[in-house]
Amino acid sequence: MRIFGRNTPNNNQSAVRLLAKAYRRSGRGRNLLLAGTSALGIVVLCTVFSIAFGKIEADYLQSARTSGTVASTILERGTMEQYHAIRELDYIEDVGREVDAGTIRQGEAFWACLTVLDETAWEKMTVPAYTHIQGSYPRKEGELMLPVRALEALRITRPEIGMEIPLSAELDSGKRQDTVFTLCGWYRDYVDPAVYPPIGYVSEAQLEQWGGSLEEPDVLLISQKNTMDGYETEARLYEDVQVRDRVQQFHGGNRLLYFIMDDFVGGFRMAAICGGLVLLGVFFLIYNIFGISIQKEIRQIGLLDTLGTTQKQICAMYLRQTAATVLQGAMLGTALSAAVVLFAVPRALGNLYLYNYGKSAELMVFRPELLGTAVLFTVAVIFGAAAYTIVRAAGMTPLEALHFTGMTEKRKGSRKTAETKRDKGKERQKQKEQSQKQQKQKQAQKPKKYLHTAFQKPVLYLAWQNVFRYKKRFFLTVLSLFLGVVTALGAVVLTKGTDQTYAIEKNRDFKIGGTIMGTVATVDGVEISNQDDEFELITPETKERLLAIQGMRRESADIIRGGYLFMDRTAEAVKPLAEAYGYGTHEEGGEADMEEEEPGLPDSWTYFFVQIVDEEYMQELEAYVKENHLKADLESLRNGTGAILLHYHALSPTLSEEADEKTGLPLTFWQFPSREERTEAWNTMDLAGFENWRRENCDIVQLEAAGFLNIRAKGFPKPQMYFTSSVMWYALVSEEGFQRLGTQEKMYGMEMDVERAHEPAAKAAVQKIIQDENRRDPSLYLRVYCKSDELASSQSYIRTNRIILGALSLVLILMGFLNYLNVIVTGILSRQRELAVMESVGMTGRQIQRMLAAEGAVYCGIVGALVSTAGSGILYLLKLYMEHRITYFKFLYPGAAAGGILALIFLACLSVPLIMYGHLEKRSLTRRTAEE
């Protein structure tokens, strides 16, 4: 008992233990619900975050294996000074060095490239992209590590560590050296073999023996922090690291995890928000039980305090009871979580996502730290709620605690505060007195609406009063339900909106293209060249055959139009590009060191492709130039006097500034000769004479350089282009500009759509036409892209993505529904005595059930209204954010999911009170009335 606000010591430890057991037995239903809720919280946290992390890791492995590396940014021709400077930067995680040592051949046949990596580049940037790694990275002279596909090409089906392989090494210096290599290991790669040659690794010692060194790396491989994109990384590296010359540049790229998080939820920021909402949902799931049952708990504490139990004993007893309940829930939740995370998730993610990428050998979804964090979070919330109950009870006298009802009471301020408020409001109160009296008189003459409702519909009236009687409970319950439903709906929006099908559907049904100029094919021993003004990749006859296919939408077909010319790359206007492409020295002030780009061309000539663009695209380009404050003369492009030169991130900042200064300078073009002129000259002249003839007879045309634009820049409105390359002589001109060039307009690509019902037959017809054209002219190498083929090849990934994200959404929906279910069940259990008193004063069991169902319907209606208004606003903001982050994102309002969730809640409103009250009615009314 308390004397002057303090507890009198006693020795009631045995009584405390007995009381704890008795309370645990009497509150078995509430404790069972709390244990189940804690287990549910652990399972939800583990399942949601394990599915999310597992999908991210599976996508990461797939992306790494497809690209062959996890490095994101590179610096060509790096120095050791730059290497050490980059390592010191706080936003850089790893820096590795790479040297291209040469190639290996067997006889004259090429087998693989030879590469040397330092430890960081191998262990952290390359190993994640490979599987089935056997042996070790080369350490000694003569050791060689090869991919399985290179061994298979050498007809080695059963490789062994230490076996000798005689090969010829062709070094970058041009020397060729026959070497008997010792196989020290092999690996399996997953890059496209048609694009990437096999890579063989040799040791640093072997590189030094050949005269090279890792102290002079060809490339520095850089990995920045995951939260930084390539543009930001590149800009900061230019600020923090001194480049060696005017040409050297950083090529910034996004980390794989950055790409994955963008496609998954729209970035790391949105991922943090989603994770916080899940944690908040679990918090409310647990806290609501204490919030609803706190009335009974505080009255029990007040009774114990009255009987003389000390606060220390009350805390020990109450926390011991909570600990026993939490232990049961934690053990159950841990077991269920481990079963789901150890077996179900890895099997689905590994076998489905990584079917063609080494499956799940390296995929480990189970993380003990994640499970431990989920358990600790759940336990912390439960004990925090328990401590809050004890602290709140400690702030009351035993009498206040015994009569605690949970209803919010107005707190009385201090005397000084009350007097101050009274003085400030004295005059205002006088002004209101007269109007208040008049209002009271009018109200007294009219019957009160709530009395009318109370007499006419007493059950609904009681339900309404019960809902709003405990304002804090009402607010927390509605808030938790609203957040749970909106989180689940947001997950549905993200799942549907980020479906890769939308990204593929944005493509055209068919895309047709071919090779660039300069192709020489041999037919029946005769060389056929397409270096004339009459060469056409797609002839008008071919175009008409394609558009005449049944179901083809002629009006929506897009055609890449333009032509090829020769250009003088020594012209002043294009010197920055020529230097970037390696046609000059890398030192400041160095003179151009021009070499022939193609055999048969003058030393300073190169092939130059000019593409025609329409007014609509020029408007997009103009908006882009203005928004990014770029130097480009769009007026000269429009009126036909200028051409916009494109490059694929080829210009360093220094060269880019110089290129801007070249705007307005002339570009010199030579038209291609006709086929008849070229054939006649070729047959009657030697090579030197033919080149002199071409210089003298090809017409010269000039346009202005209207600007240099980087097609890889952020936000660049990339047109439908004929080709892209790291070295590209490519310009955009208007219709007027192309007419000035005087060359024949030709077609180099087509993009078409077809009616869905005719797609299979149209695809077969398109492929037949392309095959016929390639047989007619072997120099074409026409190829066709079919959207349906890409959709078919991506179906496995898309289907798995839907299953995984659908499961994630389902878990969140289930959590929101169970949260509401807990609110109903806990509320009924905590009101047993109240309901029994109602029954004892004349309410029937049917009326009580209707009252409980009406209370649930009120909650359901309020939550439904909030979801329809505020929830829709939140989903709209999510739509705007995701459309900004992901170009192919498609917003679909989750009406079906919202209706389903609210229908489940409404069903619970009707069914749960019937079930729960039916269970309570099995106990006698006298016993229920005596319940505390």
Side-chain angles (χ1 to χ4, degrees), residues 817-834:
F817 174 69
L818 291 178
N819 187 4
Y820 180 71
L821 203 61
N822 274 339
V823 168
I824 296 177
V825 173
T826 309
I828 293 175
L829 289 175
S830 64
R831 295 166 60 192
Q832 292 184 61
R833 185 181 181 184
E834 175 188 334

Side-chain angles (χ1 to χ4, degrees), residues 562-565 608-612 640 643 667-672 699-703 731 733-744:
Y564 265 101
L565 299 101
F608 202 99
F609 182 72
V610 179
Q611 179 175 334
I612 303 170
L667 298 168
T668 304
F669 298 98
W670 284 267
Q671 296 173 359
F672 274 46
D699 294 334
I700 298 177
V701 185
Q702 284 192 340
L703 292 178
V733 297
S734 62
E735 296 277 1
E736 293 78 5
F738 193 81
Q739 291 175 6
R740 283 175 178 265
L741 295 175
T743 188
Q744 294 185 27

Side-chain angles (χ1 to χ4, degrees), residues 270 873-886 889 891:
M270 181 58 67
I874 293 172
L875 294 179
Y876 180 74
L877 294 176
L878 177 63
K879 166 187 176 291
L880 296 179
Y881 177 83
M882 294 300 295
E883 286 178 343
H884 175 71
R885 300 287 299 190
I886 303 177
F889 180 81
F891 177 77

Side-chain angles (χ1 to χ4, degrees), residues 120-150:
T120 301
W122 169 252
E123 293 291 342
K124 295 186 177 181
M125 300 181 178
T126 307
V127 168
Y130 298 152
T131 64
H132 302 90
I133 298 176
Q134 301 294 324
S136 60
Y137 186 83
R139 301 295 178 190
K140 302 177 183 177
E141 288 186 21
E143 290 187 339
L144 177 66
M145 190 177 201
L146 287 173
V148 171
R149 58 181 170 126

Side-chain angles (χ1 to χ4, degrees), residues 392-436:
R392 186 168 182 181
M396 303 179 183
T397 64
L399 187 61
E400 289 175 338
L402 281 171
H403 294 87
F404 178 75
T405 62
M407 295 181 65
T408 304
E409 296 180 1
K410 294 182 180 180
R411 293 182 176 270
K412 296 180 180 180
S414 64
R415 181 177 179 181
K416 184 178 179 181
T417 304
E419 290 177 354
T420 304
K421 290 182 178 179
R422 187 174 60 252
D423 293 338
K424 289 182 179 180
K426 194 172 183 179
E427 185 177 351
R428 185 171 50 193
Q429 185 67 25
K430 289 180 179 179
Q431 294 174 355
K432 291 182 178 180
E433 285 180 356
Q434 188 175 358
S435 60
Q436 288 177 353

